[in-house]
Amino acid sequence: MAEELNKQEQIELSKEDFSRLVKEYQSSLNRLAQSILLNQHDAEDAVCTAIYKAYINEFAGINDPNLESKREEIEKRNSYIEYTKEIDGVKLTINNIAMDDNFIVITSTVEAQTPLRDILIDKTYYKDFLEDTGLSHHEHYFNYFSPNFLFKVNDEKTNFSLSDNSSYLKDEYKLVSIQKYVIGEEIPDIFNLHIYCAQAVVFVNGDWSFDINIDKSEEKSRSKTITPNITKTIKSVVYEREIEHEITIDKVSISPLGGKIEISEAGQDIFRDFVLKDNLGNYHFVFNESVSYKKNGDIVTNIFEFTVDSSEIEDINELEFIPILLKGDFKEKTVMLSENIEDTDIKISNIGGYRIENIEFNREETKITLKPYGAVLQYRSIINGAFRPVDKEGSQIKFNGLITQKYDKNNGNLIVSYFSTNEETERLQGRLGGFWFVEMPKIEINEKEKIKINFSH
């Protein structure tokens, strides 16, 4: 195998070569892993993980460590598809589709004959953006080239709502995108999926469409879905303003690709002050800031996503839908970094908050990863810039640059990135002592009005 690996360093490894190497050496790798781990199941899992990472690193061009949490989304039993169209020197390839009753996740690659950076500078305001910010490069701007997909199922137009979009440069000519869509209607297990683009791809118009036969029955077997149709009047309290909502929980589903809960009510005042807790004692992070919805007369059905640990699906038999009451005013707080960074507690309320999982200082970027604990309401959390660096004396640091926030919809982690010149990034690294944030100290879990959702029914 060492000889094969030496060859790999000299030539570009094809997917056929990769498959051949996997088939040739997987048994040997399984035996080696078993001799180390002393457990056949753990050994097979370890080898599959190593093969998966090798495939993604080599062929998908994904170089961001946060994508490890997307593993369940983009892996489909080591089965990868390649549907490619080329128009006027631009290629669009559908690399992989993973789908269940809740979500569809599409991995695609766009490739141009001209460096994508040059196209951005020529066709967009990217050059002005770089001049305004002082940055030499900003990879997030390349999301501009992510395909804007629309869908038909068995020739019927279908509305899948874009939930998440991550794009990464494989090289200067190729961009890999992973896009997650919420499915808001019933889809048959076996069907024809027509994928097409509503806009030009890398500024090239044409027939960017694909017809793919889908069988999601296997993925569906790893899901749990219930239609409880529970109607109840729920009280919400937002800063001493009391509102009554008559809601119906129409559908709840959990799967390796995530969780989804559908709630119907009359009117436009969305009820979203709630948390979900399972029978294992875990809170599931609910993305209640943005929702997908469908309307039937005066009744609006709101679809909320929530995180699911795929390894625990089999053991989750019940979810508690618990309303949250917001009382009292905001308070400004400062927390200093602990000696062990992971012990730094961003306590958003008396029932939950974030701990710092990691701080990375990269070229022109400082990236802070915050891991939620307890019950956290996303849209009443760290939003609208309510999270800023402070120096070692606790004073806010004036930051010259661009700040972005993004939630990882697989684990609820919040990634806060500060983009600035190298000099500014080094200055922030040298001065950083902690963070300023806003606390909501008086939040109550309304146990009296909680609703139990049992998957065993």
Side-chain angles (χ1 to χ4, degrees), residues 176-249:
V176 177
S177 298
I178 301 175
Q179 293 163 306
K180 183 178 182 181
Y181 297 82
V182 178
I183 299 173
E185 55 194 86
E186 296 296 325
I187 302 294
D189 288 347
I190 300 174
F191 61 94
N192 174 264
L193 181 66
H194 180 72
I195 304 175
Y196 60 105
C197 292
Q199 298 174 346
V201 176
V202 194
F203 297 99
V204 173
N205 289 299
D207 179 17
W208 298 107
S209 64
F210 304 86
D211 283 285
I212 303 170
N213 291 322
I214 300 291
D215 182 351
K216 63 181 177 67
S217 55
E218 184 179 351
E219 294 298 322
K220 183 178 179 179
S221 68
R222 289 187 284 274
S223 305
K224 288 184 178 181
T225 300
I226 186 172
T227 52
N229 292 320
I230 298 173
T231 299
K232 191 169 183 178
T233 299
I234 299 290
K235 178 179 67 175
S236 68
V237 176
V238 181
Y239 314 126
E240 300 181 355
R241 178 172 170 250
E242 189 171 309
I243 308 169
E244 283 195 346
H245 302 260
E246 185 175 288
I247 66 168
T248 299
I249 299 178

Coordinates of all heavy atoms in Angstrom, one line a residue, residues 176-249:
V176 N -17.1 24.0 -4.3 CA -18.0 23.0 -3.8 C -19.0 23.6 -2.9 O -18.7 24.4 -2.0 CB -17.2 21.9 -3.1 CG1 -18.1 20.8 -2.5 CG2 -16.1 21.3 -4.0
S177 N -20.3 23.3 -3.1 CA -21.4 23.8 -2.3 C -22.1 22.6 -1.7 O -22.4 21.6 -2.3 CB -22.4 24.6 -3.1 OG -21.7 25.8 -3.7
I178 N -22.5 22.8 -0.4 CA -23.4 21.9 0.3 C -24.6 22.6 0.7 O -24.5 23.6 1.5 CB -22.7 21.2 1.5 CG1 -21.4 20.5 1.1 CG2 -23.7 20.3 2.2 CD1 -20.7 19.9 2.3
Q179 N -25.8 22.3 0.1 CA -27.0 23.0 0.4 C -28.1 22.1 1.0 O -28.3 21.0 0.5 CB -27.5 23.6 -0.9 CG -26.5 24.7 -1.4 CD -26.8 25.0 -2.9 OE1 -26.8 24.2 -3.7 NE2 -27.0 26.3 -3.2
K180 N -28.7 22.6 2.0 CA -29.7 21.8 2.7 C -31.0 22.5 2.6 O -31.1 23.7 2.8 CB -29.3 21.7 4.2 CG -30.2 20.8 5.1 CD -29.7 20.8 6.5 CE -30.6 19.9 7.4 NZ -30.1 19.8 8.8
Y181 N -32.0 21.7 2.2 CA -33.4 22.2 2.0 C -34.4 21.5 2.9 O -34.3 20.3 3.1 CB -33.8 22.0 0.5 CG -33.0 22.7 -0.5 CD1 -31.7 22.2 -0.9 CD2 -33.3 23.9 -1.1 CE1 -31.0 22.8 -1.9 CE2 -32.6 24.6 -2.0 CZ -31.4 24.0 -2.4 OH -30.6 24.6 -3.3
V182 N -35.3 22.3 3.4 CA -36.4 21.7 4.2 C -37.5 21.2 3.3 O -38.0 21.9 2.3 CB -37.0 22.8 5.1 CG1 -38.1 22.2 6.0 CG2 -35.9 23.3 6.1
I183 N -38.0 20.0 3.5 CA -39.1 19.4 2.8 C -40.4 19.7 3.5 O -40.5 19.3 4.7 CB -38.9 17.9 2.5 CG1 -37.7 17.7 1.7 CG2 -40.1 17.3 1.8 CD1 -37.3 16.2 1.6
G184 N -41.3 20.5 2.9 CA -42.5 20.9 3.7 C -43.8 20.1 3.2 O -44.9 20.5 3.6
E185 N -43.6 19.1 2.5 CA -44.8 18.3 2.0 C -44.4 16.8 1.9 O -43.3 16.5 1.9 CB -45.3 18.9 0.7 CG -44.2 18.9 -0.4 CD -44.6 19.8 -1.6 OE1 -44.3 21.0 -1.6 OE2 -45.1 19.2 -2.5
E186 N -45.5 16.0 1.7 CA -45.2 14.6 1.6 C -44.6 14.3 0.2 O -45.1 14.7 -0.8 CB -46.6 13.8 1.7 CG -47.2 14.0 3.1 CD -46.3 13.3 4.2 OE1 -45.7 12.3 3.9 OE2 -46.3 13.9 5.3
I187 N -43.6 13.5 0.2 CA -42.9 13.1 -1.0 C -42.9 11.5 -1.1 O -42.6 10.9 -0.1 CB -41.5 13.6 -1.1 CG1 -41.4 15.1 -1.0 CG2 -40.7 13.2 -2.3 CD1 -42.1 15.9 -2.1
P188 N -43.2 10.9 -2.2 CA -43.2 9.5 -2.3 C -41.7 8.9 -2.1 O -40.8 9.7 -2.3 CB -43.7 9.1 -3.7 CG -43.5 10.4 -4.5 CD -43.7 11.5 -3.5
D189 N -41.6 7.7 -1.7 CA -40.3 7.1 -1.4 C -39.5 7.0 -2.7 O -38.3 7.2 -2.7 CB -40.5 5.7 -0.7 CG -40.9 5.8 0.7 OD1 -40.9 7.0 1.2 OD2 -41.3 4.8 1.3
I190 N -40.1 6.6 -3.8 CA -39.4 6.5 -5.0 C -40.0 7.4 -6.1 O -41.2 7.4 -6.3 CB -39.5 5.0 -5.6 CG1 -38.9 4.1 -4.5 CG2 -38.8 4.9 -6.9 CD1 -39.1 2.6 -4.9
F191 N -39.2 8.3 -6.7 CA -39.7 9.3 -7.6 C -38.6 9.8 -8.5 O -37.4 9.6 -8.3 CB -40.3 10.5 -6.8 CG -39.3 11.2 -5.9 CD1 -38.7 12.3 -6.3 CD2 -39.1 10.7 -4.6 CE1 -37.8 13.0 -5.5 CE2 -38.1 11.3 -3.8 CZ -37.5 12.5 -4.2
N192 N -39.0 10.6 -9.5 CA -38.1 11.3 -10.3 C -37.9 12.7 -9.8 O -38.9 13.5 -9.6 CB -38.6 11.4 -11.8 CG -37.7 12.2 -12.6 OD1 -37.9 13.4 -12.9 ND2 -36.6 11.6 -13.1
L193 N -36.7 13.1 -9.5 CA -36.4 14.5 -9.1 C -35.8 15.3 -10.2 O -34.7 14.9 -10.8 CB -35.4 14.4 -7.9 CG -35.0 15.8 -7.3 CD1 -36.2 16.5 -6.6 CD2 -33.9 15.6 -6.3
H194 N -36.5 16.3 -10.6 CA -36.0 17.3 -11.6 C -35.4 18.5 -10.9 O -36.1 19.2 -10.2 CB -37.1 17.7 -12.6 CG -36.7 18.6 -13.6 ND1 -35.9 18.2 -14.7 CD2 -36.9 19.9 -13.8 CE1 -35.7 19.2 -15.5 NE2 -36.3 20.3 -15.0
I195 N -34.1 18.7 -11.1 CA -33.4 19.8 -10.5 C -33.0 20.8 -11.6 O -32.4 20.4 -12.6 CB -32.1 19.3 -9.7 CG1 -32.4 18.2 -8.7 CG2 -31.3 20.5 -9.1 CD1 -31.2 17.6 -8.0
Y196 N -33.3 22.0 -11.3 CA -32.9 23.0 -12.3 C -32.5 24.3 -11.6 O -32.8 24.5 -10.5 CB -34.0 23.3 -13.3 CG -35.4 23.7 -12.8 CD1 -35.7 25.1 -12.9 CD2 -36.2 22.9 -12.1 CE1 -37.0 25.5 -12.4 CE2 -37.4 23.3 -11.6 CZ -37.8 24.6 -11.7 OH -39.0 25.1 -11.2
C197 N -31.8 25.2 -12.3 CA -31.3 26.4 -11.8 C -32.2 27.6 -12.3 O -32.4 27.7 -13.5 CB -29.9 26.6 -12.2 SG -28.7 25.5 -11.4
A198 N -32.6 28.4 -11.3 CA -33.4 29.6 -11.7 C -32.6 30.7 -12.3 O -33.1 31.6 -12.9 CB -34.1 30.1 -10.4
Q199 N -31.3 30.7 -12.1 CA -30.4 31.8 -12.5 C -29.2 31.2 -13.3 O -29.0 30.0 -13.3 CB -29.9 32.6 -11.4 CG -31.1 33.3 -10.6 CD -30.6 34.0 -9.4 OE1 -29.5 33.8 -8.9 NE2 -31.5 34.9 -8.8
A200 N -28.4 32.1 -13.9 CA -27.2 31.6 -14.6 C -26.2 31.0 -13.6 O -26.2 31.3 -12.4 CB -26.6 32.8 -15.3
V201 N -25.4 30.1 -14.1 CA -24.3 29.5 -13.3 C -23.0 30.1 -13.8 O -22.6 30.0 -14.9 CB -24.3 28.0 -13.5 CG1 -23.1 27.4 -12.8 CG2 -25.6 27.4 -13.0
V202 N -22.3 30.8 -12.8 CA -21.1 31.5 -13.2 C -21.3 32.4 -14.4 O -20.6 32.5 -15.3 CB -19.9 30.6 -13.4 CG1 -18.6 31.4 -13.3 CG2 -19.8 29.5 -12.3
F203 N -22.5 33.1 -14.4 CA -22.9 34.1 -15.4 C -23.1 33.5 -16.8 O -23.1 34.2 -17.8 CB -21.8 35.2 -15.5 CG -21.7 36.0 -14.2 CD1 -20.7 35.8 -13.3 CD2 -22.6 37.0 -13.9 CE1 -20.5 36.5 -12.2 CE2 -22.5 37.8 -12.8 CZ -21.4 37.5 -11.9
V204 N -23.3 32.2 -16.8 CA -23.6 31.5 -18.1 C -25.1 31.0 -18.0 O -25.4 30.2 -17.1 CB -22.7 30.3 -18.3 CG1 -23.1 29.5 -19.6 CG2 -21.3 30.9 -18.6
N205 N -25.9 31.4 -18.9 CA -27.3 30.9 -19.0 C -27.3 29.7 -19.8 O -26.5 29.4 -20.7 CB -28.2 32.0 -19.6 CG -28.4 33.2 -18.7 OD1 -29.0 33.0 -17.6 ND2 -28.0 34.4 -19.1
G206 N -28.4 28.9 -19.6 CA -28.5 27.6 -20.3 C -29.4 26.7 -19.6 O -30.0 27.0 -18.5
D207 N -29.5 25.5 -20.1 CA -30.4 24.4 -19.5 C -29.6 23.7 -18.4 O -29.0 22.6 -18.7 CB -30.8 23.5 -20.6 CG -31.7 22.3 -20.0 OD1 -32.2 22.5 -18.9 OD2 -31.8 21.3 -20.7
W208 N -29.5 24.3 -17.3 CA -28.8 23.7 -16.1 C -29.8 22.8 -15.4 O -30.3 23.1 -14.3 CB -28.2 24.7 -15.2 CG -27.2 25.6 -15.8 CD1 -27.3 26.9 -16.2 CD2 -25.9 25.2 -16.2 NE1 -26.2 27.4 -16.8 CE2 -25.2 26.4 -16.8 CE3 -25.1 24.1 -16.1 CZ2 -23.9 26.4 -17.2 CZ3 -23.8 24.1 -16.5 CH2 -23.2 25.2 -17.1
S209 N -30.2 21.7 -15.9 CA -31.2 20.8 -15.3 C -30.7 19.4 -15.3 O -30.0 19.0 -16.2 CB -32.6 21.0 -16.0 OG -32.5 20.5 -17.3
F210 N -31.2 18.6 -14.3 CA -30.9 17.2 -14.2 C -32.1 16.4 -13.8 O -32.9 16.9 -13.0 CB -29.8 17.1 -13.1 CG -28.6 17.9 -13.3 CD1 -28.5 19.2 -12.8 CD2 -27.5 17.4 -13.9 CE1 -27.4 20.0 -13.0 CE2 -26.3 18.1 -14.1 CZ -26.3 19.4 -13.7
D211 N -32.2 15.2 -14.3 CA -33.3 14.3 -13.9 C -32.6 13.1 -13.2 O -31.8 12.4 -13.8 CB -34.1 13.9 -15.1 CG -35.1 15.0 -15.5 OD1 -36.1 15.1 -14.8 OD2 -34.8 15.6 -16.5
I212 N -33.0 12.9 -12.0 CA -32.4 11.9 -11.1 C -33.5 11.1 -10.5 O -34.4 11.6 -9.9 CB -31.5 12.5 -10.1 CG1 -30.4 13.5 -10.7 CG2 -30.8 11.5 -9.2 CD1 -29.7 14.3 -9.8
N213 N -33.4 9.8 -10.6 CA -34.3 8.9 -9.9 C -33.8 8.7 -8.4 O -32.7 8.3 -8.2 CB -34.3 7.5 -10.6 CG -35.0 7.6 -12.0 OD1 -36.0 8.3 -12.1 ND2 -34.5 6.9 -12.9
I214 N -34.8 8.9 -7.5 CA -34.5 8.9 -6.1 C -35.2 7.8 -5.4 O -36.4 7.6 -5.7 CB -34.8 10.2 -5.4 CG1 -34.0 11.4 -6.1 CG2 -34.6 10.2 -3.9 CD1 -32.6 11.4 -5.8
D215 N -34.6 7.1 -4.5 CA -35.2 6.1 -3.6 C -34.8 6.4 -2.2 O -33.6 6.2 -1.8 CB -34.8 4.7 -4.0 CG -35.5 3.6 -3.2 OD1 -36.1 4.0 -2.2 OD2 -35.4 2.4 -3.5
K216 N -35.6 7.0 -1.4 CA -35.3 7.4 -0.1 C -35.8 6.5 1.0 O -35.8 6.8 2.2 CB -35.8 8.8 0.2 CG -37.3 9.0 0.2 CD -37.7 10.5 0.5 CE -39.1 10.8 0.4 NZ -39.9 10.1 1.4
S217 N -36.2 5.3 0.6 CA -36.9 4.4 1.5 C -35.9 3.9 2.6 O -36.2 3.7 3.8 CB -37.4 3.1 0.8 OG -36.4 2.5 0.0
E218 N -34.6 3.7 2.2 CA -33.6 3.3 3.2 C -33.4 4.4 4.2 O -33.3 4.1 5.5 CB -32.3 2.9 2.5 CG -31.3 2.4 3.5 CD -30.0 1.9 2.8 OE1 -29.9 1.9 1.5 OE2 -29.0 1.6 3.5
E219 N -33.2 5.6 3.8 CA -33.0 6.7 4.7 C -34.2 6.9 5.6 O -34.1 7.2 6.8 CB -32.7 8.0 4.0 CG -31.4 8.0 3.2 CD -30.2 7.9 4.1 OE1 -30.2 8.5 5.2 OE2 -29.3 7.2 3.7
K220 N -35.4 6.7 5.0 CA -36.7 6.9 5.8 C -36.7 5.8 6.9 O -37.3 6.1 8.0 CB -37.9 6.7 4.8 CG -39.2 6.9 5.5 CD -40.3 6.7 4.5 CE -41.7 6.9 5.1 NZ -42.8 6.7 4.1
S221 N -36.2 4.7 6.7 CA -36.2 3.6 7.8 C -35.4 4.0 9.0 O -35.6 3.4 10.1 CB -35.7 2.3 7.2 OG -34.3 2.4 6.9
R222 N -34.5 5.0 8.9 CA -33.7 5.4 10.0 C -34.3 6.7 10.7 O -33.7 7.3 11.5 CB -32.3 5.7 9.6 CG -31.5 4.4 9.2 CD -30.0 4.8 9.0 NE -29.9 5.4 7.7 CZ -29.7 4.7 6.6 NH1 -29.7 3.4 6.6 NH2 -29.5 5.3 5.4
S223 N -35.5 7.0 10.3 CA -36.2 8.2 10.8 C -37.4 7.8 11.8 O -37.8 6.6 11.7 CB -36.8 9.0 9.7 OG -35.8 9.4 8.7
K224 N -37.8 8.7 12.6 CA -39.0 8.6 13.4 C -39.9 9.7 13.2 O -39.5 10.9 13.3 CB -38.6 8.5 14.9 CG -37.9 7.2 15.3 CD -37.7 7.2 16.8 CE -37.1 5.9 17.3 NZ -36.9 5.8 18.8
T225 N -41.1 9.5 12.8 CA -42.1 10.5 12.5 C -43.4 10.2 13.2 O -43.9 9.1 13.3 CB -42.3 10.6 11.0 OG1 -41.1 10.9 10.4 CG2 -43.3 11.7 10.7
I226 N -44.0 11.3 13.7 CA -45.4 11.1 14.3 C -46.2 12.4 14.0 O -45.7 13.5 13.8 CB -45.2 11.0 15.9 CG1 -46.6 10.7 16.5 CG2 -44.6 12.3 16.5 CD1 -46.6 10.4 18.0
T227 N -47.5 12.1 13.8 CA -48.4 13.2 13.5 C -49.4 13.3 14.7 O -50.5 12.8 14.6 CB -49.2 13.0 12.2 OG1 -49.8 11.7 12.2 CG2 -48.2 13.1 11.0
P228 N -49.0 14.0 15.7 CA -49.8 14.0 17.0 C -51.1 14.8 16.9 O -52.1 14.4 17.5 CB -48.9 14.6 18.0 CG -47.9 15.4 17.2 CD -47.8 14.7 15.9
N229 N -51.2 15.8 16.0 CA -52.4 16.7 15.9 C -52.9 17.1 17.3 O -54.1 17.0 17.5 CB -53.4 15.9 15.1 CG -53.1 15.7 13.6 OD1 -52.5 16.6 13.0 ND2 -53.3 14.6 13.1
I230 N -52.0 17.6 18.1 CA -52.4 18.0 19.4 C -52.6 19.5 19.4 O -51.8 20.3 18.9 CB -51.2 17.8 20.4 CG1 -51.0 16.3 20.6 CG2 -51.6 18.4 21.8 CD1 -49.8 15.9 21.4
T231 N -53.8 19.9 19.8 CA -54.2 21.4 19.8 C -54.3 21.8 21.2 O -54.9 21.2 22.1 CB -55.6 21.6 19.1 OG1 -55.4 21.2 17.7 CG2 -55.9 23.1 19.1
K232 N -53.7 23.0 21.5 CA -53.7 23.5 22.9 C -53.5 25.0 22.9 O -52.8 25.5 22.0 CB -52.5 22.8 23.7 CG -52.5 23.1 25.2 CD -51.6 22.2 25.9 CE -51.6 22.4 27.4 NZ -50.7 21.5 28.1
T233 N -54.1 25.6 23.9 CA -53.8 27.1 24.1 C -52.6 27.3 24.9 O -52.5 26.8 26.0 CB -55.1 27.7 24.7 OG1 -56.2 27.6 23.9 CG2 -54.8 29.2 24.9
I234 N -51.7 28.0 24.4 CA -50.4 28.2 25.0 C -50.2 29.7 25.3 O -50.5 30.6 24.5 CB -49.2 27.8 24.1 CG1 -49.3 26.3 23.8 CG2 -47.9 28.1 24.8 CD1 -49.0 25.4 25.0
K235 N -49.7 30.0 26.5 CA -49.4 31.4 26.9 C -48.0 31.8 26.6 O -47.1 31.0 27.0 CB -49.8 31.6 28.3 CG -49.5 33.0 28.9 CD -49.9 33.2 30.3 CE -49.1 32.4 31.2 NZ -49.4 32.6 32.7
S236 N -47.7 32.9 26.0 CA -46.4 33.4 26.0 C -46.3 34.8 26.7 O -47.3 35.6 26.6 CB -45.9 33.5 24.5 OG -46.6 34.6 23.8
V237 N -45.2 35.0 27.4 CA -45.0 36.3 28.0 C -43.7 36.8 27.5 O -42.6 36.2 27.6 CB -44.9 36.1 29.6 CG1 -44.6 37.4 30.2 CG2 -46.2 35.6 30.1
V238 N -43.8 38.0 26.9 CA -42.6 38.7 26.3 C -42.5 40.0 26.9 O -43.3 40.9 26.6 CB -42.6 38.7 24.8 CG1 -41.4 39.4 24.3 CG2 -42.8 37.4 24.2
Y239 N -41.6 40.2 27.9 CA -41.4 41.5 28.6 C -42.7 42.1 29.1 O -43.1 43.2 28.7 CB -40.7 42.5 27.7 CG -39.5 41.8 27.0 CD1 -39.4 41.8 25.6 CD2 -38.5 41.2 27.8 CE1 -38.3 41.2 25.0 CE2 -37.5 40.5 27.2 CZ -37.3 40.6 25.8 OH -36.3 40.0 25.2
E240 N -43.4 41.3 29.9 CA -44.7 41.6 30.6 C -45.9 41.7 29.6 O -47.0 42.1 30.1 CB -44.5 43.0 31.4 CG -43.4 42.9 32.4 CD -43.3 44.2 33.2 OE1 -44.0 45.2 32.8 OE2 -42.5 44.2 34.2
R241 N -45.7 41.4 28.4 CA -46.8 41.4 27.4 C -47.3 39.9 27.3 O -46.5 39.1 26.8 CB -46.4 42.0 26.1 CG -47.5 41.9 25.0 CD -47.1 42.7 23.8 NE -48.0 42.5 22.7 CZ -47.7 41.8 21.6 NH1 -46.5 41.3 21.5 NH2 -48.5 41.6 20.6
E242 N -48.5 39.7 27.7 CA -49.0 38.3 27.7 C -49.8 38.1 26.4 O -50.7 38.8 26.1 CB -49.8 38.0 28.9 CG -50.2 36.6 29.1 CD -50.8 36.3 30.4 OE1 -50.2 36.7 31.5 OE2 -51.9 35.7 30.5
I243 N -49.6 37.0 25.7 CA -50.3 36.6 24.5 C -50.7 35.2 24.5 O -49.9 34.3 25.0 CB -49.4 36.8 23.2 CG1 -48.7 38.2 23.2 CG2 -50.1 36.6 21.9 CD1 -47.6 38.4 22.2
E244 N -51.9 34.9 24.1 CA -52.4 33.5 24.0 C -52.3 33.0 22.6 O -52.8 33.7 21.7 CB -53.8 33.4 24.6 CG -53.9 33.4 26.1 CD -55.2 32.9 26.6 OE1 -56.2 32.8 25.8 OE2 -55.3 32.7 27.8
H245 N -51.8 31.8 22.4 CA -51.8 31.2 21.1 C -52.5 29.9 21.1 O -52.3 29.1 22.0 CB -50.3 30.9 20.7 CG -49.4 32.1 20.6 ND1 -49.1 32.8 19.5 CD2 -48.8 32.8 21.7 CE1 -48.3 33.8 19.8 NE2 -48.1 33.8 21.1
E246 N -53.4 29.7 20.1 CA -53.9 28.3 20.0 C -53.2 27.6 18.9 O -53.3 28.0 17.7 CB -55.4 28.4 19.6 CG -56.1 27.0 19.6 CD -57.6 27.0 19.3 OE1 -58.3 27.4 20.3 OE2 -58.0 26.7 18.2
I247 N -52.4 26.7 19.3 CA -51.5 26.0 18.3 C -51.9 24.5 18.1 O -52.5 23.9 19.0 CB -50.0 26.1 18.8 CG1 -49.8 25.3 20.0 CG2 -49.6 27.5 18.9 CD1 -48.3 25.1 20.4
T248 N -51.5 24.0 17.0 CA -51.7 22.5 16.8 C -50.3 22.0 16.3 O -49.7 22.5 15.4 CB -52.7 22.3 15.7 OG1 -54.0 22.8 16.1 CG2 -52.8 20.8 15.4
I249 N -49.8 21.0 17.0 CA -48.6 20.4 16.6 C -49.0 19.3 15.6 O -49.6 18.3 16.0 CB -47.8 19.8 17.8 CG1 -47.5 20.9 18.8 CG2 -46.6 19.0 17.4 CD1 -46.8 20.4 20.1

